[in-house]
Amino acid sequence: MAKNRFFNRNVVSIRDFNLDDFAYLFDVTDKIQTLKSKERGEIAKGLILGYIFYEYSTRTRLSFESAMSSIGGRSLGISDVDSSSIMKGESYADTIKTISLYSDVILIRHPSDGSSRYACEISQKPVINGGSGSEEHPTQAMLDIYTIFKEKKRIDGLSIGIVGDLKYGRTVYSLIYALSNYHVDIHLVSPAALRIRNESIYDISYKVNMQHHVELSDDLLEKLDIIYVTRIQRERFPDLQEYNKIQGLYTIDDNILKKSKPDVSILHPLPRVDEISPSIDNTVNALYFKQAAYGKELRAALLSSLLHENPF
């Protein structure tokens, strides 16, 4: 196995990682799934994951907690700021300093851009960005890429559609940054109001072929190997009337599948609202729950690599 380049490292932006890093992490993820529970449970024995969620979360928090538990570690933290000293006026810096005293690695979700990068300047323990504002969600991109690789057996040469909220969706930016390391065609599908922020992808625009669309046309559906769907995020709209105008604009259902390649894969970072019909949940195309399951295993591998120079 290649040298571990994740040990004691901050995970703030997917742009800080390259193909060799992904290959190493995917190898560790594969390896960790072959371990017996007793072996796996020794990896992080006596170690603690500390977390702070300034925004609501289900999969990110629970998958990290489950991942840490599966390798023998424990988790503690703040999942509801209303029940913490933050409501007494404690500063973000003091909260980070305090939780770093009690843990070996820190997971943070915060509504402000730059929050995770700032936390790295304060914490003496590795920081994992669990979602910062509308910037990035790097571990989501890692598990997204891993899911594609496991299910398609390749990434190079694929045609990937990313659909929905491309302006505010932080998973979108991390995924595009990660995909820019591969030879893929990316089709960005969104209403004009939610088009990708060009300034955020300017530095990678020369590396990957990206095309913009406003609808999932029949011609486009015939090309796509992957349809990555994102939720239209009501909470990020300053004007709810604008949200109501485009709510439910794209819905992946049986009709969409009929027009798509038979083996098209549907991914979604979840939670979903109305952008994927439950009627396709049991099809071979629906990978979003398998994607969430892969997330636990990849995050277990990531934590193992951050906490140990030689995880095995």
Side-chain angles (χ1 to χ4, degrees), residues 48 81 117 185 270:
I48 296 173
V81 295
R117 190 73 69 184
D185 291 324
L270 301 176

Side-chain angles (χ1 to χ4, degrees), residues 171-238:
T171 63
V172 167
Y173 292 92
S174 288
L175 178 59
I176 292 174
Y177 299 150
L179 288 172
S180 70
N181 290 280
Y182 299 91
H183 300 290
V184 296
D185 291 324
I186 299 177
H187 296 271
L188 302 170
V189 185
S190 72
L194 294 179
R195 186 176 167 131
I196 200 88
R197 301 191 304 270
N198 286 330
E199 68 275 12
S200 296
I201 59 170
Y202 176 78
D203 60 334
I204 60 162
S205 58
Y206 72 95
K207 293 177 62 178
V208 62
N209 180 33
M210 287 183 282
Q211 298 180 39
H212 299 270
H213 311 265
V214 294
E215 63 179 21
L216 270 172
S217 66
D218 293 356
D219 288 344
L220 177 57
L221 288 170
E222 291 173 358
K223 299 176 183 177
L224 299 178
D225 302 294
I226 302 284
I227 301 177
Y228 187 95
V229 190
T230 66
R231 174 175 63 93
I232 305 294
Q233 302 178 84
R234 183 175 64 177
E235 66 272 21
R236 305 219 184 265
F237 274 75

Side-chain angles (χ1 to χ4, degrees), residues 163-165 216 227-233 243 246-253 256 266-278 280 288:
V163 182
D165 182 355
L216 270 172
I227 301 177
Y228 187 95
V229 190
T230 66
R231 174 175 63 93
I232 305 294
Q233 302 178 84
Y243 167 78
I246 54 181
Q247 181 186 12
L249 187 60
Y250 307 109
T251 300
I252 308 302
D253 54 18
I256 292 292
I266 311 298
L267 277 70
H268 193 306
L270 301 176
R272 67 173 166 183
V273 181
D274 54 9
E275 61 275 7
I276 297 181
S277 170
I280 72 167
Y288 28 91

Side-chain angles (χ1 to χ4, degrees), residues 30-40 43 311-312:
D30 289 342
K31 171 67 175 176
I32 211 165
Q33 292 177 80
T34 68
L35 297 179
K36 295 179 179 179
S37 58
K38 185 176 181 180
E39 295 176 291
R40 181 168 172 154
I43 295 174
F312 308 114

